[in-house]
Amino acid sequence: MKLTRCTSVLTLLLFAEMVIGSCDTKLECSLLGDLLEMTMKHKEPDNICQCLRSTNIPAFTSILTKIQVLGANDAIKFDKIVTNIRNGYNPTTGTFTAPVAGVYQFSYTVMSRDGKRLVVYLSHNNIKQHSTWLLGSTHDTGTTNIILNLKKGDQVAVKSHGSYTVHSNSDLYSSFSGYLIAK
């Protein structure tokens, strides 16, 4: 997959934001500066820029507003849609279906309550990718971030490992989001 100049600059800026807090040696700062300078010098003809327009980038954010009791391998249905560009996320099923092939970033946060155990995982085409395990004291949350290379039509969901209850309230929402980072 070819990263475009726009994506490369954005990736470097995000990387710079992470490094700046620990940038206490000249080597780290010099390396970051050199990478940014090389990216900025890279020139693509204007007529072939492959930067996606923001209205074409598949992206979604959804929030769980109701308590859900789940069985094993049930998808959490994050019911309140905040953003759903290209309509890839279906709140009725809790599943994101990739409208285009590419590299996607996904993040989810789940909440356990009152000392109840909660184990969920991110599923890519019904294959477990990453788990989050909680044993909540009051309102404990766990967050997972993952980058996946998807084909058009691939499906991603947050699912339960067993019979659990996933919580939400007005202050602490459980959420699920994702967006295309490179074609």
Side-chain angles (χ1 to χ4, degrees):
M1 283 190 189
K2 179 182 173 198
L3 288 177
T4 65
R5 180 178 180 208
C6 297
T7 305
S8 298
V9 170
L10 178 61
T11 302
L12 278 174
L13 291 175
L14 290 172
F15 176 71
E17 187 176 318
M18 291 187 309
V19 171
I20 284 178
S22 67
C23 192
D24 55 357
T25 66
K26 290 182 181 179
L27 179 61
E28 288 175 340
C29 292
S30 174
L31 177 61
L32 185 59
D34 291 346
L35 287 170
L36 189 56
E37 184 178 337
M38 286 186 323
T39 302
M40 296 306 290
K41 284 183 178 178
H42 175 74
K43 185 106 171 136
E44 289 183 26
D46 292 335
N47 60 348
I48 62 165
C49 182
Q50 297 176 0
C51 300
L52 295 171
R53 296 184 183 175
S54 63
T55 57
N56 292 331
I57 298 173
F60 75 97
T61 298
S62 53
I63 298 170
L64 179 68
T65 64
K66 302 171 193 148
I67 292 173
Q68 285 186 28
V69 178
L70 304 167
N73 301 310
D74 284 349
I76 299 172
K77 297 171 182 120
F78 297 88
D79 56 308
K80 182 179 179 185
I81 292 178
V82 177
T83 302
N84 199 7
I85 301 171
R86 305 276 305 260
N87 297 316
Y89 180 73
N90 182 338
T92 307
T93 63
T95 302
F96 172 77
T97 304
V100 297
V103 178
Y104 287 79
Q105 162 80 39
F106 292 97
S107 177
Y108 67 87
T109 299
V110 291
M111 182 170 61
S112 178
R113 195 167 109 189
D114 301 329
K116 305 284 184 184
R117 184 175 175 201
L118 175 64
V119 183
V120 298
Y121 63 96
L122 189 103
S123 165
H124 171 207
N125 292 336
N126 292 315
I127 299 170
K128 180 174 61 170
Q129 300 298 312
H130 195 282
S131 295
T132 301
W133 178 92
L134 297 167
L135 182 57
S137 58
T138 53
H139 290 93
D140 286 351
T141 59
T143 300
T144 293
N145 294 291
I146 190 168
I147 296 174
L148 296 173
N149 188 6
L150 303 182
K151 296 176 184 156
K152 182 179 179 177
D154 279 2
Q155 296 187 331
V156 176
V158 180
K159 295 186 175 184
S160 173
H161 264 290
S163 296
Y164 299 109
T165 301
V166 69
H167 291 271
S168 189
N169 69 24
S170 60
D171 297 325
L172 298 168
Y173 285 114
S174 294
S175 63
F176 180 34
S177 61
Y179 61 96
L180 177 71
I181 59 175
K183 274 183 119 177

